[in-house]
């Protein structure tokens, strides 16, 4: 319908356009963009530039006509095949299988994007903490001396070293598990929000 909806930023949109936007966010196209419009725009640009600079266009045509013929010979079947594939994919994407495929691709995309953002935040925070700890412990040279002393001490106590290594491994596995659960819950919340809008 054409009912207008007031958005949070003060703009107004129709219900149908809002539904289409949410649908686009919920699905991701799994095929490359059509080549036909790009070829048409390139030809139109070439025609305009040739009209502006006719002498240069004639010179380029006399010089590069073999390349133009080869490109047209190879490119025409490619564009026609691309058009057929785009049409077939358009019909396929309207079906239930295509919809599920695009929804799955959208979920993978959003999950990857969220993981990338979380990774950047963790890396930034880790670098800040490491820099602060290095300054607090007196610089890299002092830390290297401390590490050397710890290595000698652990070598003299192998049983305790094995126990500490095992505890550290268990702690790392538990940390990765908790982080995975947190990311999964965040992705689930985003999916629920997207389904509410759709």
């Amino acid at each position: 319908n054409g009912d207008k909806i007031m958005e949070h930023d003060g703009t107004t949109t129709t219900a149908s356009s809002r539904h289409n936007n949410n649908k686009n966010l919920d699905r991701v196209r799994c095929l490359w963009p059509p080549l036909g419009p790009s070829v048409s725009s390139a030809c139109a640009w070439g025609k305009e530039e040739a009209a502006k600079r006719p002498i240069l266009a004639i010179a380029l045509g006399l010089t590069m006509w073999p390349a133009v013929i080869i490109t047209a010979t190879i490119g025409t079947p490619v564009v026609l095949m691309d058009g057929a594939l785009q049409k077939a994919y358009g019909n396929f994407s309207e079906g239930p299988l295509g919809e599920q495929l695009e929804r799955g691709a959208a979920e993978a995309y959003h999950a990857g994007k969220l993981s990338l953002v979380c990774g950047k935040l963790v890396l930034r925070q880790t670098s800040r903490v490491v820099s602060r700890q290095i300054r607090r412990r007196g610089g890299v040279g002092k830390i290297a001396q401390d590490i050397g002393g710890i290595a000698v001490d652990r070598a003299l106590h192998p049983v305790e070293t094995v126990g500490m290594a095992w505890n550290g491994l268990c702690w790392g596995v538990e940390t990765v598990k908790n982080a995975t659960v947190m990311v999964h819950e965040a992705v689930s919340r985003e999916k629920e929000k997207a389904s509410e809008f759709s």
Side-chain angles (χ1 to χ4, degrees):
N1 54 30
D3 297 337
K4 292 186 177 181
I5 301 173
M6 179 67 70
E7 300 292 344
H8 296 292
D9 57 357
T11 60
T12 57
T13 57
T14 61
S16 59
S17 62
R18 189 175 186 179
H19 176 73
N20 291 332
N21 291 334
N22 294 326
K23 180 179 178 181
N24 292 334
L25 291 175
D26 198 29
R27 297 172 61 174
V28 172
R29 181 181 175 87
C30 300
L31 190 67
W32 60 85
L35 298 178
S38 300
V39 174
S40 299
S41 61
C43 292
W45 175 82
K47 184 178 179 181
E48 292 177 358
E49 292 299 321
K52 294 178 181 177
R53 302 177 180 86
I55 299 177
L56 179 60
I58 293 172
L60 290 176
L62 294 174
T63 305
M64 303 180 63
W65 65 267
V68 173
I69 293 176
I70 294 174
T71 303
T73 303
I74 298 175
T76 301
V78 172
V79 173
L80 293 176
M81 187 180 299
D82 176 74
L85 287 174
Q86 297 293 340
K87 185 177 181 180
Y89 179 80
N91 296 330
F92 170 76
S93 64
E94 296 300 327
L97 185 59
E99 181 179 356
Q100 292 299 324
L101 178 63
E102 290 187 349
R103 288 183 184 276
E107 292 177 3
Y109 169 76
H110 292 307
K113 189 175 181 180
L114 180 61
S115 300
L116 181 61
V117 172
C118 293
K120 288 182 178 180
L121 292 176
V122 170
L123 183 61
R124 185 180 303 173
Q125 186 65 22
T126 302
S127 63
R128 290 178 180 175
V129 173
V130 170
S131 300
R132 192 180 300 119
Q133 291 297 327
I134 289 175
R135 291 194 301 269
R136 186 176 298 175
R137 292 180 179 273
V140 179
K142 184 65 170 58
I143 294 176
Q145 294 177 0
D146 295 340
I147 291 175
I150 293 173
V152 172
D153 183 68
R154 290 300 93 197
L156 296 176
H157 302 84
V159 177
E160 295 180 4
T161 302
V162 173
M164 292 177 63
W166 175 255
N167 293 333
L169 179 62
C170 294
W171 176 82
V173 171
E174 188 68 21
T175 302
V176 172
K177 181 180 177 182
N178 294 335
T180 304
V181 171
M182 182 185 67
V183 172
H184 178 71
E185 292 177 352
V187 171
S188 300
R189 287 195 298 268
E190 293 295 329
K191 288 170 58 178
E192 291 176 359
K193 292 180 181 179
S195 61
E196 289 177 0
F197 283 114
S198 59

